[in-house]
């Protein structure tokens, strides 16, 4: 299995290509200026239409199934955060064991790097949970 960052990047690239293809963003053929002008005009019209739809969207009632699904996602994010906190504690214990008890200086830097990466993940997931909780609160029906 490859590096997770490479896998994530490849997935992102595929998704971007899929979204571009879905939106009909294909290159115009050479020598067809009328078709190019028509595409530009239709793109300009389409880009103005979503702005008005987005402005009207907050006034609509949120979908209850969307709220339920969002709460499931929030629960899974909180579970990830819980395990992340546990990983940080275990890495701290291992770091002390490797450095103080076993005196294996060669591995101190490697475990420190892992600890830093897990700590960065922890910080980011806490922020994501806060933002997602706000979104779930927005989706809750008034009353």
């Amino acid at each position: 299995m490859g590096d997770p960052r490479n896998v994530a990047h490849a997935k992102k690239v595929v998704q971007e290509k899929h979204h571009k293809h879905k939106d009909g963003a294909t290159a115009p053929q050479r020598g067809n200026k009328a078709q190019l002008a028509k595409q530009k005009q239709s793109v300009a019209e389409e880009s103005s239409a979503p702005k008005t739809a987005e402005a009207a969207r907050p006034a609509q009632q949120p979908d209850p199934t969307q709220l339920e699904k969002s709460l499931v996602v929030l629960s899974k994010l909180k579970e990830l955060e819980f395990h992340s906190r546990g990983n940080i504690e275990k890495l701290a214990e291992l770091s002390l064991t490797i450095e103080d008890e076993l005196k294996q200086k060669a591995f101190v830097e490697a475990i420190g790097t892992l600890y830093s990466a897990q700590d960065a993940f922890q910080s980011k997931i806490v922020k994501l949970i806060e933002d997602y909780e706000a979104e779930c609160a927005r989706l809750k029906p008034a009353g």
Side-chain angles (χ1 to χ4, degrees):
M1 192 161 158
D3 184 29
R5 293 173 292 190
N6 292 342
V7 174
H9 176 70
K11 183 177 178 182
K12 181 179 175 186
V13 169
V14 168
Q15 286 176 344
E16 287 175 356
K17 286 182 181 178
H18 178 73
H19 289 298
K20 284 182 182 178
H21 178 68
K22 200 178 206 182
D23 294 338
T26 57
Q29 296 177 355
R30 291 184 183 184
N32 201 346
K33 291 182 181 180
Q35 185 181 15
L36 178 61
K38 227 184 244 187
Q39 280 183 338
K40 284 184 179 179
Q41 184 180 11
S42 65
V43 168
E45 290 170 0
E46 289 174 3
S47 65
S48 64
K51 290 177 185 175
T52 57
E54 288 176 12
R57 192 172 133 220
Q60 296 174 350
Q61 287 293 331
D63 183 14
T65 59
Q66 186 177 12
L67 175 61
E68 290 174 21
K69 291 177 182 178
S70 295
L71 291 173
V72 168
V73 170
L74 180 62
S75 173
K76 290 180 181 181
L77 286 171
K78 286 183 177 182
E79 185 178 338
L80 281 174
E81 190 272 335
F82 173 79
H83 290 293
S84 173
R85 213 174 327 123
N87 287 343
I88 288 175
E89 292 171 5
K90 289 175 188 171
L91 284 168
E93 290 173 17
L94 290 173
S95 177
L96 289 173
T97 302
I98 289 172
E99 188 173 2
D100 296 338
E101 294 176 24
L102 300 174
K103 308 288 187 211
Q104 296 172 331
K105 302 292 182 193
F107 296 100
V108 171
E109 186 177 332
I111 198 129
T113 303
L114 282 173
Y115 183 88
S116 295
Q118 189 67 42
D119 189 49
F121 174 81
Q122 176 71 15
S123 299
K124 289 178 182 179
I125 198 162
V126 166
K127 173 70 173 123
L128 177 61
I129 288 171
E130 290 173 3
D131 294 344
Y132 209 80
E133 283 176 333
E135 176 65 13
C136 288
R138 186 190 70 78
L139 290 173
K140 285 185 181 173

